Amino acid sequence: MGSSRGPLSYSIPELASESRKLAVEEVEKLLQRPEDLKRLDTLLEEYTQKHQANKAQLSATVATQVEAARAGMALLDKAHRTLANMQNSYKMIDKLCTECSALIENHEKIQILSAVHYNLGKTLQDVENIVALPNEAAEAEEMLKDDSQLLQAYESLAILEGTSSLAQQALQSGAKLKLEDTHNLNAYFNKVKDTMTRFEERLWSLIRNFVELGHNNPAMLVAAVRIVEIQEMVDKQLESSGRAAVPMKRYRKRMQQQIGMCIQDMTAPLLQRCSQLAAAGEDTDKRSNDILDDAHNFVSQLADIYDYVSPCFPEKYGIFHVIWKQYHEHLAFMLDCVGACAEQLANADILKVMGWVNQYSDTLRDLGIEEDELGFPTGSERGVGMLTDKYIERMRQQLNTWFTNILQADMSAEPKVGDDGTISTPGAVDFFRVVNAQVNVVEDISKGDMLLKTGQMAVRVMRDFQDAERRYLEGELGVEMVCAMVNNNVRCYNESMDFAERVEDSLDDDHKGLLDIEEQCRGFLELAKSATALLVKSIFSDTAFVDLFSKLCCSDDWKQGTITASILATLGDYLADFKRMLEEAFFKRYAQQSTQCAASAVLSCNSNGL
């Protein structure tokens, strides 16, 4: 059961010890295997970069907090002085009230006079504030020249904008003004509006530069995001107070739009290159490699955004997810463009693209993206689907060509006799060697949809292979070649079972159990059974052997027992030969079938003799 002590209840030595323990555990995770030591220099460099970035961010945050503390102290001092002035004012009021106690009979007139005095003072103050708007706006505009004063400029402009808004509302609800007076006042208000517009332009230019600022000036990015956060709180207060006349600025939504525009600008050259890919002709492979190089850079940039940019934003903004979604949409379009040119790409280029997709997914997993979000659309009309389908189509055609040549070579050569006497041809081994080779290639870049489709393609090729073998069985084959086909298909069955197990183990959890290969595995056994039946049929189609059965029950040789002896001897010779040439399991099947056929032939002859 974990300790309930909070971080503040630990002493500094305890915190140091706990930090060291956590650091050791993290290093152990990074260096679990011997080969991980090769990455030590890279890890040290990454640590140094992150340490420097964190140090800079911490310094900026501390500086911000110090400034806030100083401002708070100043406000406290100002409040103290104000309270002292209020106390003096109350004393003065008490004194004046004592002096004016004799004037109680004029109380109503005094109230009216007081109200008039207050309203006049308020009007004069409002006029002073309106007159001061241009000068104060100019001061705020001067602050915009120094990015370090961006937050102070925002605070000043927010006050001026509030003053301007209230003044405009008061004028609209008050007495009528001359046209000339209205123009004069609008000039004051427009000065504030123009300055705020320039401020927002500067703010959004900083937000759009989030990648560089996250690396080189995180304090500036933190200040810009802080403005967005403050304005969001102001909007909520205005909304909750029911002040519908004041428009919401919605800085957070606009910030996300600005980030999206920035990402669109950054990816525009890549997408332009993608849109031109179809017209590349012979240079398609080179251009696809250039596209992948750019895509690799964007993936690396995502990792930097996670490390340097994301910490500058409030966690509730989920800014990395927002940025990644934008990247993901553009990269999906990139893949769609590449997929539309799948016909022009070589298989090696398709594999490079699919390899990039796999690396991209691995990177996103490391950055905390959920498994169900990180994939690209895989429909037949989308890039990944088109590339995968084209690769699978070509591989099936290639494998069909290869196994056709393999079978032709098998049938045109003499079967080979193994050390144990069994007969076979190299076709079965060669067929599964090329099938497994294709799976090896895909397995290196995909454990999901593409590997599953490759396995399904291999199953279809196995069916085509079996159909081709069946056509050969229906033709004229020698006994030794039929024996070889029995043994080959037994071996193919074992190879197909190993293939199914291997692919199933390689598939990820989402695709396990989806490869249906059992029927095709049994197909090899069915072919072996058909070849065995063909052996039996060929024996009992032998003219000399059939002639022996015709002499049963109706010849002197049968009466002397020589016919039966010849039949048994012939059967024995066949059994001896096939026991040597066939796999043991199918030799037993052959022996059973041949014995049954012989018994049936004897019974048939006896019936005819009777």
Side-chain angles (χ1 to χ4, degrees), residues 24 27 79 204 206 216 247 285 396 398 482 491 516 573 585 600:
V24 171
V27 172
W204 301 136
L206 292 172
N216 302 323
D285 55 346
R396 183 177 182 183
Q398 188 66 56
V482 177
R491 180 159 192 170
D516 185 7
D573 289 341
S600 298

Side-chain angles (χ1 to χ4, degrees), residues 317-349:
Y317 282 14
I319 197 64
F320 177 74
H321 198 273
V322 172
I323 294 173
W324 164 73
K325 275 290 188 183
Q326 296 282 342
Y327 274 88
H328 195 67
E329 290 178 5
H330 294 302
L331 293 174
F333 178 76
M334 174 200 78
L335 287 175
D336 289 345
C337 292
V338 176
C341 302
E343 187 67 42
Q344 299 166 248
L345 294 177
N347 281 354
D349 294 323

